[in-house]
Amino acid sequence: MTAELVRGQNHPLPDTRLEIRVSAGHPVVAGATLGDEGGRVAGVEWIAHPGSPSLPGVEVSQQAAADHRLAVDLEAVPAAVHRLSVLLALPVGVGGPTRFGAAAAPFVAVTGLDGTEIATYTITGLDRESAVVALELYRRQGAWKVRAMGQGYEGGLAAMLGDQGLDRPADLAATILEAVSRGLARSVSAPPARVPEAGRVRHSAPTAHDPTAHDPTAAEPMTVADVAPTLPVTPPPPAAGPTTGGGPINYAHPSRRAAASEPPRQAPPVPVAGDASGWSMDERLYNQVWGMFEDLARTTAAYRSACDFAESRLDKELDGVLSDPRSRIGGAGDAAREAARAKHDELTTRAQEVLDRDLAQLTAESEVVEPALPAAYARWDNPVWHAYRVPMEAPMAVRLGDLHLPERTDLRIPMLVRLPLERGLWVDSGRGRSEAAGLLDEAELRRLAMDTAVAHAARLLAVYPPGEFTVHVIDPAGSAAAALAPLVEAGVLAGPPAAGAAGVSAVLDRLTERVDLVQMALRAGAPDALPPGMDTAEQLLIVHDFPHGFDDRAVTRLRYLADEGPAVGVHLLMVADREDASAYGPVLDPLWRSLLRITPVPDDHLADPWVGHAWTYEPPRFPSGSRVLPQVLARVSEARREWGR
């Protein structure tokens, strides 16, 4: 039976291998400290946080998120540790609440690794606090208990760390928040939560598969999944049972969830395009794609977690055989080793079977959904582009490419981002750590980067109504003329690509002035009081070969546009190699972090917002020999002329 704790109440823990689940409804930073009997933390090496997520016996997420899964193994903590504190803090600079009192109360649950809740605690009573000690797991007379704390700090993360006995807490807090910023910069933003309305479907927890199917014993624990060397991830939540309040919207479809009375292995129904909630077909397809994205993330996490558990169990049993002198030699030892390997093979085989089943179901759904997508969500080889007509209203999202995982590289999930863009885009023309980029010479990589930027700009022009999206280009040396030719020839740019220092300065001045004027109008409560003739369309600035042609003043204005522009309809599309701007040092770090990095070649640098897998991003490509780009741009240009835009 689950114990519902109030502040100060404690409860015994029946297990030492646990999962601590946090649901806040908005991004929070989760961490943990290991303390002595007095609760004092010996040093920074005893705090797990996004910049250093693993300690003996505890592992936390590397990024801020609305939901967290902390893996805890109390048997693995050092003998000197008597208290494990779970810390929550609000990240800065992400547009979320700045105090806990302005948002829903965080919910924390301590569960077994099979998902059974042991104790829960809703952290109420917070107001101006921006950091809180949520729970404390403590050792008393050889047994472990959990205590509901709810100790908040108006001074934020630094004050909370200082109260834990850490030296220089402000420096450590800054380090943690910097790590959080890096994590957010590489994460694909989840769809925003919407207020439930009458008649609209909401589902319970994601259920792409039976969570116990990976482990035939059903009582054996599942360990933390090893997703990537630099990206530790905890296992996914269980699929069965009621969800706790404050969790994210679930986009899993009823057709992918078997009822409790149904056999777990029955064949799934035939997938249907648009089988998700929403007022329009576009909205239903958008939600369905995100549901597929989440299901693939979670089923892969469960598979990796099961394989990791099988490996750890094998190692433990083999160590046990070696530690027993009676079984080191002879038939008994050989039999024990064979039995351990057989159990390992059984577990991994079962995990693979469940993964294959889930992947087959998602593949079948993808084959139905992909042809049904509207132009804004479709690949360039989709026949929908041959019947393209300029829309009369903007879509809710746009496709920036595809995402896939190594377990099934041919199962591509459309990467859909909401419109208007909430952050700028950065097409990285550098090599980075990409294997695909390493096979290309520098000139070819830069050409592909500019082609990718043109493809994104063309799609944005195509999905907005006539005259509601304006594109400017800065090309200081004129080296992108060939890539820009389709946009220039179709006449869909605001003007010729700006060249030279004077051209760069002129474009930046115009857009900076526009941002200032719109901000002043909004602050005055008169959004319509703009100068006559001012272009009120969404603005996109393509910047090629940065920082060439930029002086210090131009760099400052570019940073200003990156920070302030998206809120008033001015967006950046940078095509640049970060190494080219290395002379500026850390001055440009906020600029790069503010942009969503995408690449001209496949690269596994993006993370999902649920589990944190490293996903391979595939940029958009036009079919070989296709005329779809000039045809689409010609129709955009024609529609603008007809509408006088």
Side-chain angles (χ1 to χ4, degrees):
M1 183 175 178
T2 303
E4 298 182 2
L5 305 181
V6 297
R7 182 174 298 175
Q9 187 177 1
N10 61 50
H11 186 74
L13 294 172
D15 302 310
T16 56
R17 304 186 74 181
L18 307 165
E19 191 172 76
I20 298 174
R21 301 180 180 178
V22 179
S23 180
H26 54 83
V28 295
V29 181
T33 57
L34 302 181
D36 58 19
E37 287 185 280
R40 185 173 182 82
V41 180
V44 295
E45 65 275 12
W46 293 115
I47 174 170
H49 58 81
S52 178
S54 298
L55 287 180
V58 62
E59 187 168 11
V60 303
S61 173
Q62 282 189 309
Q63 58 192 36
D67 297 271
H68 289 272
R69 304 290 185 266
L70 283 66
V72 175
D73 184 354
L74 297 174
E75 290 184 353
V77 301
V81 171
H82 288 261
R83 297 191 186 186
L84 189 156
S85 300
V86 177
L87 317 178
L88 303 179
L90 295 174
V92 297
V94 300
T98 58
R99 58 187 183 90
F100 278 110
F107 177 87
V108 188
V110 180
T111 76
L113 291 182
D114 61 354
T116 303
E117 288 187 347
I118 299 169
T120 64
Y121 174 40
T122 301
I123 311 173
T124 57
L126 299 177
D127 186 9
R128 293 190 296 270
E129 297 88 345
S130 59
V132 61
V133 179
L135 296 175
E136 180 182 78
L137 279 59
Y138 63 97
R139 193 189 331 236
R140 182 68 53 83
Q141 297 178 347
W144 285 90
K145 295 184 177 182
V146 57
R147 178 184 289 121
M149 297 293 288
Q151 176 62 55
Y153 295 84
E154 291 184 28
L157 184 57
M160 181 169 61
L161 295 174
D163 199 39
Q164 294 277 315
L166 291 160
D167 295 330
R168 303 177 64 184
D171 292 344
L172 179 56
T175 299
I176 294 173
L177 294 175
E178 172 68 17
V180 171
S181 296
R182 291 196 301 269
L184 289 172
R186 64 186 295 272
S187 177
V188 180
S189 300
R194 297 169 299 170
V195 178
E197 301 176 45
R200 302 187 74 171
V201 180
R202 296 297 184 218
H203 309 303
S204 58
T207 57
H209 59 278
D210 176 5
T212 63
H214 292 299
D215 185 1
T217 66
E220 294 290 344
M222 304 283 280
T223 61
V224 176
D226 183 14
V227 177
T230 60
L231 194 64
V233 182
T234 53
T243 58
T244 58
I249 296 172
N250 169 42
Y251 296 92
H253 316 136
S255 60
R256 290 208 288 270
R257 293 189 288 119
S261 61
E262 294 175 341
R265 296 283 183 170
Q266 74 171 22
V270 177
V272 177
D275 186 15
S277 61
W279 289 112
S280 65
M281 177 57 79
D282 285 5
E283 185 179 5
R284 293 197 294 271
L285 287 169
Y286 172 82
N287 288 342
Q288 187 169 16
V289 167
W290 271 88
M292 294 163 59
F293 187 13
E294 181 175 3
D295 282 356
L296 181 55
R298 294 196 184 280
T299 195
T300 304
Y303 167 73
R304 293 176 179 179
S305 179
C307 291
D308 186 64
F309 165 68
E311 291 292 338
S312 64
R313 174 174 176 158
L314 176 62
D315 292 341
K316 184 177 181 180
E317 292 184 353
L318 292 179
D319 288 343
V321 173
L322 293 174
S323 64
D324 186 353
R326 296 170 298 178
S327 60
R328 289 178 186 170
I329 58 175
D334 292 340
R337 283 187 285 270
E338 285 299 321
R341 292 190 179 95
K343 187 63 176 178
H344 168 272
D345 293 344
E346 180 184 0
L347 291 174
T348 55
T349 299
R350 288 290 301 275
Q352 186 66 55
E353 289 175 352
V354 174
L355 177 68
D356 290 344
R357 182 192 69 198
D358 292 345
L359 292 181
Q361 190 172 343
L362 285 168
T363 299
E365 186 168 17
S366 176
E367 291 172 350
V368 171
V369 169
E370 190 69 52
L373 296 177
Y377 306 169
R379 286 196 297 254
W380 286 111
D381 60 356
N382 192 309
V384 71
W385 287 107
H386 297 296
Y388 166 75
R389 294 292 182 270
V390 178
M392 291 297 104
E393 63 179 22
M396 66 184 300
V398 69
R399 185 173 189 157
L400 293 184
D402 294 337
L403 298 169
H404 68 80
L405 291 172
E407 280 77 6
R408 186 69 176 270
T409 58
D410 61 334
L411 178 54
R412 308 287 175 90
I413 302 295
M415 181 180 169
L416 303 182
V417 297
R418 291 294 293 263
L419 291 179
L421 296 172
E422 297 177 353
R423 59 197 293 198
L425 305 176
W426 164 31
V427 183
D428 189 356
S429 60
R431 295 186 184 279
R433 296 189 298 270
S434 170
E435 294 182 6
L439 299 175
L440 301 173
D441 61 44
E442 183 177 334
E444 177 67 9
L445 196 57
R446 290 179 183 273
R447 183 190 67 78
L448 288 174
M450 196 59 202
D451 288 345
T452 301
V454 168
H456 291 312
R459 182 182 290 266
L460 288 166
L461 284 164
V463 302
Y464 273 89
E468 292 191 14
F469 196 82
T470 302
V471 178
H472 311 262
V473 177
I474 287 178
D475 184 20
S479 56
L484 292 168
L487 299 176
V488 174
E489 293 170 0
V492 293
L493 297 180
V504 170
S505 179
V507 172
L508 292 176
D509 286 348
R510 286 199 305 271
L511 291 177
T512 300
E513 181 183 20
R514 184 188 187 280
V515 171
D516 290 339
L517 289 172
V518 175
Q519 285 183 334
M520 286 190 292
L522 292 174
R523 283 196 293 266
D528 296 328
L530 295 171
M534 180 177 173
D535 184 4
T536 57
E538 295 282 314
Q539 309 286 311
L540 178 71
L541 173 60
I542 302 176
V543 179
H544 178 244
D545 223 11
F546 176 80
H548 301 298
F550 282 73
D551 55 21
D552 290 344
R553 180 173 178 272
V555 169
T556 300
R557 291 189 173 242
L558 189 70
R559 287 186 55 189
Y560 176 76
L561 292 177
D563 293 338
E564 304 294 335
V568 292
V570 178
H571 314 282
L572 290 184
L573 176 50
M574 299 274 291
V575 182
D577 180 357
R578 188 169 181 171
E579 289 299 316
D580 291 344
S582 59
Y584 287 93
V587 172
L588 290 181
D589 285 352
L591 171 64
W592 304 118
R593 284 199 299 268
S594 70
L595 305 173
L596 175 62
R597 176 177 175 257
I598 52 182
T599 52
V601 293
D603 188 41
D604 60 347
H605 66 284
L606 291 175
D608 64 79
W610 305 285
V611 184
H613 291 314
W615 292 73
T616 296
Y617 167 77
E618 293 271 358
R621 287 285 180 264
F622 296 103
S624 179
S626 171
R627 296 282 301 165
V628 64
L629 177 59
Q631 290 170 0
V632 167
L633 292 177
R635 289 173 184 169
V636 170
S637 180
E638 180 182 357
R640 288 187 169 190
R641 289 193 298 271
E642 291 177 356
W643 286 81
R645 303 296 179 87

